[in-house]
Amino acid sequence: MGLRKHGGTGAEDAVPAESYTDLNARIIDQWIDDGWQWGTPISHERYEAALAGDWSMALTTTREVPRNWFFPDMRGKRVLGLAAGGGQQMPIFAAMGAACTVLDYSEKQIASERLVAEREGYEIRCVRADMTRPLPFEDEAFDLIFHPVSNCYIEEVLPVWRECFRVLAPGGRLLAGLDNGFNYVVDDGEERIVHGLPFNPLRDPSLIPEGELADWGMQFSHTLDEQIRGQIQAGFRLLDLYEDTNGEGRLHELGIPTFWATCAEK
């Protein structure tokens, strides 16, 4: 299958009963033990460079987020890294002077955030929680939400956009990386179309056999209606967007986009 293995420091728990999201959290923890690229924290040298203004961030696989998607001055801005644990983006926000909170359901992604914060001496609020449930934050608690590709691990996207709108202050921005579904229709070699859409293994378990779950996790395709129109329906105003490829493989070689990134404003 053409699925993708994506992608003061106390932790707070907000953990629901057993579900497919619990399974995904455990699988991602194992990927991190195996050296998953989206779970490897940035180096001290990269943090130091960010302090000096030399930084970049990614919502998808290869393209950098345009700098004009961020506020001109990030100092004091309240940033939520939504399903963005791993010590990759939040340290850069901290280096820019933002007040950082990260929410992730993987214990090891949260642990990486604590590790980098302790190493570099900044504060971050770490919350272990399932983003398929109401976010454990007050209304208008944040100025910017950074949400790399991760909706592919949840079945319902629209509730997430509604919660993002609720917890953002007026004028706040949502920066999101999104899978466009194309990876789910092709075979492992990305040569043939072998699946229709939507791709939902909860409805059709044969899509990801039990023996392959540890390699892929429970993943779901989502439509433009869900991913982009859904943001608009939640109340957001779309400011900008771009496409990206897998960065490798046949689809990439053919220039076929498999991801979107969006910048939206409340």
Side-chain angles (χ1 to χ4, degrees), residues 79-92:
V79 173
L80 170 62
L82 180 59
Q88 296 189 342
Q89 298 94 18
M90 304 314 292
I92 295 175

Side-chain angles (χ1 to χ4, degrees), residues 43 70 137 142 157 185 209 227 240 262:
S43 66
F70 303 90
F137 308 115
F142 300 100
V157 172
V185 305
Q227 297 277 49
D240 199 4
T262 57

Side-chain angles (χ1 to χ4, degrees), residues 49-66:
L51 286 173
D54 179 12
W55 58 268
S56 64
M57 278 188 260
L59 285 163
T60 53
T61 48
T62 68
R63 294 183 64 173
E64 295 180 1
V65 180

